[in-house]
Amino acid sequence: MVTTNSRTVAPCSRIVGELTVPGDKSVSHRAAMLAALATGESTLTGFLASEDCLNTLSAVEALGATVKRKGTDVTISGTGGVFSRPNAALDLGNSGTGMRLLVGLLAGQPFETELTGDASLCSRPMRRIQEPLEAMGACVELSGETGTAPMRVGSAPLHAISYPLPVASAQVKSCVLLAGLYAEGTTTVIEPRPTRDHTEQLLRAMGVPVTVDGLSVSLDGFGAAGPRLTAGSIDVPGDFSSAAFWIVAAACRPGSRVTIRNVGLNPRRTALLDVLKRMGAGLSITQTTDAAAGEPMGDVTVDGSPLHGTTVEGNEIPNLIDELPLVAVAGAMADGVTIIRGAEELRVKESDRIATTVAMLQAVGVQVEEAPDGMTVTGGPVTGNVAIDSHGDHRIAMCAAILGLVGEAPVEVVNTDCIATSYPSFWDDLERVSSGEEDNVNVVIAIDGPAASGKSTVARKVAAALDDALYVDSGAIYRGIAWAALERGVDVHDADAVARMLADLDVGFFSRDGAVGFGIDGVEPGMAIRTRAVNDSVSPVAVIPAVRVQVVKWLKGMAALGTLVMEGRDIGTAVFPGTPHKFYLDASAEERTRRRHREMATEDAVDEDEVGKSLRRRDKIDSSRKMDPLQVAPGATRIDSTAMAIDEVVESIVAAVKGMP
Ligand code: S3P
């Protein structure tokens, strides 16, 4: 495979769309490690399948856990308290979290383990974990020249300590607490400032009490036999630190609107939202789900508006530590001065992030002064036409891309491979929020609704009633993909296989007789997409993220063809969230069953009960899928057609569209 390892990002006047970002990195690492120690089988959903977290999965596998992964679903059978000796050194790649947390657990094992990582990880400070672990009686040998990895750890009994953390670091706190699981007595960590508490939340969710008293965090150890962790299901929320790229991009571009769904909203991670509010951003936050494994989740919508500078320091710093380069980007796009202080920890991240952020901003013409523990950014024009090197730091690479997106001229991001460590679908998401719509001068009428709500008949008639409008059946494209999978013998439940097939398909679109049609590999499937086999395969295909990203891209691109009347399940929410013409068509489940049964009755004898059951199954899949679930789009007009004739529904939509500017 040829990778260019560089990418140019052009400015986009409006950042618009809805996204579900991949799973939280911190939670994924911890869930993998603790599930690997638990007694029994745990299921992790929404796991972050990025290089960093996959390295952690391989490490726990080498330590005796049984790991099965299908995309973002991971099943782990734990070892029941202690690991088994690995055959070779564990390679944690680029991940400080992977290494520091695992070392905590390995300190208490009855054998010695060797750990290593890439050049960046082997240059990051490890004395910060060596010191407390040695105080607990552990053997930790650092063979890097400056207190760095590679390292060896383990094979000594541990005793509990009370440890005041010299740095506010969740990784060091977690390392000591995890080692404390193998000590006799109560281990206490006293933090200088509150840091992220995913380890504590997950331990509690798995049955180990953790007590918090102000800044002190304590747990009782289990001794050399190790902890009794209860296996179970762990739903990993979307990573707020990944969502932050789009939140900041939209916040600093007036006219933008981005919604991130199902993102983790642990207050120890979301200080960026407070900072952006202070800067004048329009934010609305809804907690949608009960805390999963102690982690609250919800939706964040951001509306772009003019921003002004602010100061970020003190207790806020650990709770937006990974977002500070983005705060600097927001500061560059704001009026006035943005000051960041007390952030010396940035110097020991995947790169010296104070130096790399300052250099990045200077490259795009922003006035910025470096301080030992932060920077002062003066807002002003963000010019581009430059190349920015990420220095192998994923967050710097993604920040540089955001500068290209929100600034005045393109930015070439050099050294982009590192993005795969935390956010493999970053470029797809960038395209999703920046493609198509802003340049679209054509009208789009979005009609969404559940199966058999009448939306296809209605949309077709609305298109006919409006001169030159094209009817688009978005569901037909998902059906086309399901049909192609069946034709090729691809398992529709195997997301990776379907994604591979999709990359290989040749799909073309054309307008004919007032509708947009398509061909796949030169064939127009026609009625072949309406068979029962396709009916049963389309929902599993439509929940696959790679499929949705691709179809949404195709659908957005159709706006160039003319006025569109597009029907589906996410047109108003994900495809054209910016259109003022959004409708949500509904009807009672009984009425929809009757309608679908009537349609099918001509085909062959079908039982109405069966039809009802299958409809309800579809409703459930469509409205509960993580990405672009079926829901009423903000600002959509809801039409209940249960007791309405089709023509009445059509007239009401046409009247509403014509009456609007
Ligand atoms: C992390 C903690 C933070 C953060 C890192 C992930 C964690 O590091 O920067 O990306 O998962 O515990 P420190 O705790 O060392 O600041």
Side-chain angles (χ1 to χ4, degrees):
M1 195 173 67
V2 181
T3 58
T4 56
N5 201 19
S6 104
R7 200 102 171 202
T8 300
V9 181
C12 170
S13 51
R14 292 197 312 135
I15 322 288
V16 184
E18 289 205 8
L19 288 178
T20 310
V21 292
D24 187 279
K25 184 146 85 90
S26 292
V27 176
S28 296
H29 279 300
R30 288 158 169 83
M33 290 178 201
L34 294 181
L37 273 177
T39 306
E41 189 174 277
S42 296
T43 49
L44 283 45
T45 48
F47 184 81
L48 173 62
S50 74
E51 282 173 9
D52 275 5
C53 298
L54 294 179
N55 281 330
T56 291
L57 276 190
S58 305
V60 297
E61 218 172 1
L63 289 162
T66 306
V67 176
K68 285 194 200 112
R69 182 175 74 87
K70 233 186 175 188
T72 60
D73 291 335
V74 182
T75 313
I76 300 182
S77 290
T79 57
V82 282
F83 288 132
S84 51
R85 185 197 300 270
N87 293 327
L90 304 179
D91 186 347
L92 279 311
N94 188 244
S95 176
T97 307
M99 181 172 278
R100 295 197 177 106
L101 270 59
L102 203 53
V103 165
L105 292 171
L106 292 173
Q109 307 299 317
F111 52 83
E112 219 181 53
T113 311
E114 228 178 295
L115 298 101
T116 188
D118 68 8
S120 154
L121 183 54
C122 288
S123 71
R124 296 179 64 185
M126 292 297 154
R127 282 205 184 108
R128 52 177 58 195
I129 55 170
Q130 183 189 38
E131 272 165 24
L133 291 178
E134 284 184 346
M136 298 174 86
C139 294
V140 184
E141 204 185 295
L142 298 173
S143 45
E145 272 169 25
T146 47
T148 47
M151 65 206 283
R152 300 173 79 85
V153 63
S155 175
L158 303 183
H159 52 261
I161 55 167
S162 177
Y163 187 66
L165 277 185
V167 284
S169 163
Q171 292 179 357
V172 182
K173 168 178 67 175
S174 301
C175 172
V176 177
L177 290 174
L178 294 176
L181 293 172
Y182 292 87
E184 302 286 352
T186 306
T187 294
T188 299
V189 179
I190 303 126
E191 305 198 81
R193 302 180 188 291
T195 66
R196 65 186 68 183
D197 60 358
H198 304 300
T199 306
E200 297 90 305
Q201 300 290 5
L202 197 53
L203 281 171
R204 283 193 197 107
M206 297 178 84
V208 173
V210 179
T211 52
V212 176
D213 179 10
L215 290 167
S216 297
V217 187
S218 307
L219 57 76
D220 289 336
F222 296 78
R228 320 262 174 280
L229 294 164
T230 320
S233 42
I234 302 169
D235 196 5
V236 180
D239 197 322
F240 184 82
S241 296
S242 297
F245 294 101
W246 318 117
I247 293 175
V248 166
C252 52
R253 267 283 180 195
S256 298
R257 165 172 267 216
V258 163
T259 296
I260 316 285
R261 299 224 178 260
N262 292 327
V263 64
L265 292 175
N266 182 323
R268 300 269 177 103
R269 294 289 298 283
T270 54
L272 173 73
L273 297 177
D274 303 322
V275 170
L276 288 174
K277 269 187 215 150
R278 285 208 298 279
M279 295 178 86
L283 285 163
S284 75
I285 296 136
T286 351
Q287 191 170 320
T288 51
T289 325
D290 285 347
E295 300 291 340
M297 302 199 235
D299 298 344
V300 175
T301 297
V302 54
D303 286 292
S305 45
L307 300 180
H308 42 83
T310 188
T311 296
V312 184
E313 60 190 352
N315 277 358
E316 255 178 356
I317 294 291
N319 297 336
L320 47 49
I321 187 75
D322 293 338
E323 288 66 69
L324 284 169
L326 276 170
V327 170
V329 169
M333 294 292 292
D335 273 343
V337 172
T338 295
I339 300 168
I340 299 172
R341 286 292 181 279
E344 56 279 1
E345 272 298 300
L346 286 184
R347 298 237 180 241
V348 291
K349 294 294 177 190
E350 285 82 332
S351 68
D352 173 347
R353 276 192 193 148
I354 294 182
T356 45
T357 302
V358 167
M360 168 173 71
L361 290 180
Q362 283 171 344
V364 291
V366 175
Q367 197 189 318
V368 46
E369 261 170 62
E370 182 168 347
D373 62 341
M375 66 197 82
T376 302
V377 182
T378 304
V382 172
T383 59
N385 289 322
V386 285
I388 295 178
D389 191 336
S390 72
H391 298 277
D393 182 336
H394 57 127
R395 297 203 194 278
I396 297 298
M398 291 186 275
C399 255
I402 299 302
L403 275 175
L405 199 62
V406 300
E408 292 176 3
V411 167
E412 184 189 358
V413 189
V414 180
N415 219 336
T416 50
D417 284 354
C418 51
I419 291 175
T421 60
S422 70
Y423 196 166
S425 53
F426 176 78
W427 297 112
D428 287 338
D429 286 350
L430 185 142
E431 199 155 329
R432 207 171 147 111
V433 295
S434 63
S435 68
E437 205 181 4
E438 64 282 356
D439 300 316
N440 167 35
V441 285
N442 291 318
V443 171
V444 176
I445 295 132
I447 303 181
D448 289 306
S453 56
K455 58 187 188 302
S456 52
T457 316
V458 166
R460 201 181 279 281
K461 289 191 167 213
V462 169
L466 297 168
D467 285 344
D468 294 330
L470 291 169
Y471 163 67
V472 184
D473 173 1
S474 69
I477 300 170
Y478 292 102
R479 285 175 170 271
I481 297 170
W483 167 78
L486 295 173
E487 288 285 297
R488 293 182 176 208
V490 172
D491 175 5
V492 294
H493 296 279
D494 182 342
D496 292 340
V498 175
R500 273 198 305 277
M501 175 199 78
L502 190 59
D504 193 42
L505 286 186
D506 177 16
V507 183
F509 297 94
F510 52 84
S511 69
R512 184 198 292 152
D513 301 335
V516 176
F518 64 92
I520 297 182
D521 291 338
V523 179
E524 282 180 49
M527 288 311 284
I529 63 169
R530 307 281 163 197
T531 62
R532 215 181 290 175
V534 173
N535 281 353
D536 291 340
S537 305
V538 62
S539 279
V541 163
V543 298
I544 299 171
V547 170
R548 299 209 72 81
V549 167
Q550 180 58 69
V551 174
V552 168
K553 244 187 252 174
W554 284 331
L555 295 171
K556 279 180 189 259
M558 288 177 197
L561 298 174
T563 298
L564 301 179
V565 182
M566 188 179 281
E567 53 104 347
R569 288 174 172 75
D570 61 352
I571 312 304
T573 52
V575 187
F576 292 109
T579 178
H581 310 292
K582 295 190 240 185
F583 300 89
Y584 186 91
L585 209 55
D586 209 351
S588 69
E590 295 71 29
E591 175 61 19
R592 290 189 291 120
T593 303
R594 261 195 302 278
R595 288 180 191 169
R596 181 52 49 96
H597 183 240
R598 228 181 294 136
E599 271 169 37
M600 296 175 83
T602 51
E603 226 179 74
D604 48 43
V606 260
D607 177 35
E608 190 160 331
D609 271 0
E610 275 299 307
V611 175
K613 265 191 223 145
S614 138
L615 260 186
R616 280 191 292 277
R617 220 172 19 242
R618 263 216 87 168
D619 284 356
K620 195 161 166 233
I621 301 181
D622 291 336
S623 56
S624 63
R625 66 171 175 241
K626 272 201 164 174
M627 197 170 179
D628 306 336
L630 172 65
Q631 49 192 212
V632 185
T637 306
R638 192 178 184 141
I639 302 174
D640 183 345
S641 71
T642 309
M644 285 172 89
I646 291 284
D647 286 337
E648 268 179 274
V649 180
V650 173
E651 275 160 34
S652 71
I653 293 179
V654 171
V657 171
K658 287 193 169 159
M660 284 179 97

